[in-house]
Amino acid sequence: MAEIVDIEGEWKDFIFKMIEPEDYPKVLDHMRRVFYRDETMFKLIEYSDELADEVDLLVTAFLNQNDKMSFYAIHKESRKVAGVRITYKNTKGSERPDCPVTVPEHKRIIGFVKNFSQGVDVHEEYGVESYAEFFMTSVDPEFRRCGLVTEMYSRSLKLIKSKGYTLVESFFSSPHTRKIATKFGFTEVKRFYYIESKFENGLQRFPKATPDQFIASMVKVL
């Protein structure tokens, strides 16, 4: 097996570090300030601390899998967490972490993900027992448009390839990240428009969604 790539180190105004348990508080603080408020799906619902508490548990559960594939970037001068990449191993037949889903807005998200996931079996389609999944990618608005997202993708792909993965999948809700992923060789497997997701009573799950907003499952063969 090839030597595992070390993605830690300095790059421009940032320092990349693998996420360790002692880093969880600062990483989760970033997610609350940025991802839970700024990511497309979250912007379609109402933020609350109760929602953040539950999603924090899910993020922590994935980090606790200890796959050594998740990292963050620190801004050298301010020491602020500038970006976070959370990646985990998706194994055939495995279940996502069993975390509480009691907040109505969280139920909207989980219901949408279940709708979207139907009919998409990456393990069967590509003949793999496991693959790497880019779970969440987040960059503070203060540090965008400087190439940080692209650098995070580059380091992530080098890392998972060195660990022996032959496939990576991610769900993309942002047109910007979909564009970056395409440049890195990701191809779209499926897309699902937010306006198509409805409750059992026929009401839209995301009434604020516009017809052009969708989430795409994209994969890259390594």
Side-chain angles (χ1 to χ4, degrees), residues 36-168:
Y36 303 166
R37 300 173 186 269
D38 194 51
E39 190 272 336
T40 301
M41 193 185 312
F42 280 90
K43 288 172 72 173
L44 295 175
I45 60 178
E46 185 176 344
Y47 173 88
S48 69
D49 288 338
E50 291 75 19
L51 171 63
D53 288 341
E54 287 195 355
V55 182
D56 275 355
L57 293 175
L58 180 63
V59 172
T60 301
F62 278 116
L63 290 174
N64 282 337
Q65 289 186 357
N66 198 29
D67 295 324
K68 296 294 184 181
M69 294 190 288
S70 299
F71 60 84
Y72 66 107
I74 303 172
H75 183 242
K76 292 179 185 177
E77 183 177 350
S78 67
R79 307 306 296 176
K80 191 175 183 180
V81 174
V84 173
R85 156 72 84 199
I86 298 175
T87 305
Y88 72 96
K89 180 180 182 180
N90 190 319
T91 303
K92 186 175 182 179
S94 64
E95 298 289 337
R96 289 206 170 200
D98 184 19
C99 297
V101 182
T102 61
V103 178
E105 301 299 342
H106 195 191
K107 291 180 179 179
R108 286 177 187 262
I109 295 174
I110 297 300
F112 177 81
V113 172
K114 287 182 178 179
N115 285 165
F116 176 69
S117 299
Q118 291 177 356
V120 178
D121 191 334
V122 175
H123 299 102
E124 291 295 329
E125 183 72 21
Y126 290 88
V128 294
E129 287 296 313
S130 62
Y131 59 87
E133 182 158 336
F134 290 163
F135 179 50
M136 289 180 174
T137 304
S138 177
V139 172
D140 191 302
E142 183 180 348
F143 306 111
R144 292 175 186 171
R145 290 176 289 278
C146 67
L148 182 56
V149 174
T150 299
E151 182 64 19
M152 291 169 69
Y153 271 91
S154 177
R155 291 182 184 238
S156 291
L157 291 170
K158 289 176 182 177
L159 175 61
I160 62 176
K161 187 173 183 178
S162 74
K163 283 178 170 284
Y165 289 94
T166 59
L167 188 75
V168 57

Side-chain angles (χ1 to χ4, degrees), residues 23-35:
D23 301 314
Y24 289 4
K26 67 179 73 172
V27 168
L28 293 175
D29 175 71
H30 167 92
M31 301 303 285
R32 282 176 174 258
R33 288 188 299 101
V34 181
F35 192 86

Side-chain angles (χ1 to χ4, degrees), residues 161-194:
K161 187 173 183 178
S162 74
K163 283 178 170 284
Y165 289 94
T166 59
L167 188 75
V168 57
E169 180 199 29
S170 186
F171 293 167
F172 295 91
S173 60
S174 163
H176 178 63
T177 52
R178 284 197 295 267
K179 184 177 180 180
I180 293 175
T182 300
K183 289 182 178 179
F184 275 103
F186 280 78
T187 57
E188 184 176 314
V189 175
K190 179 182 179 181
R191 71 170 59 181
F192 191 35
Y193 289 86
Y194 291 106

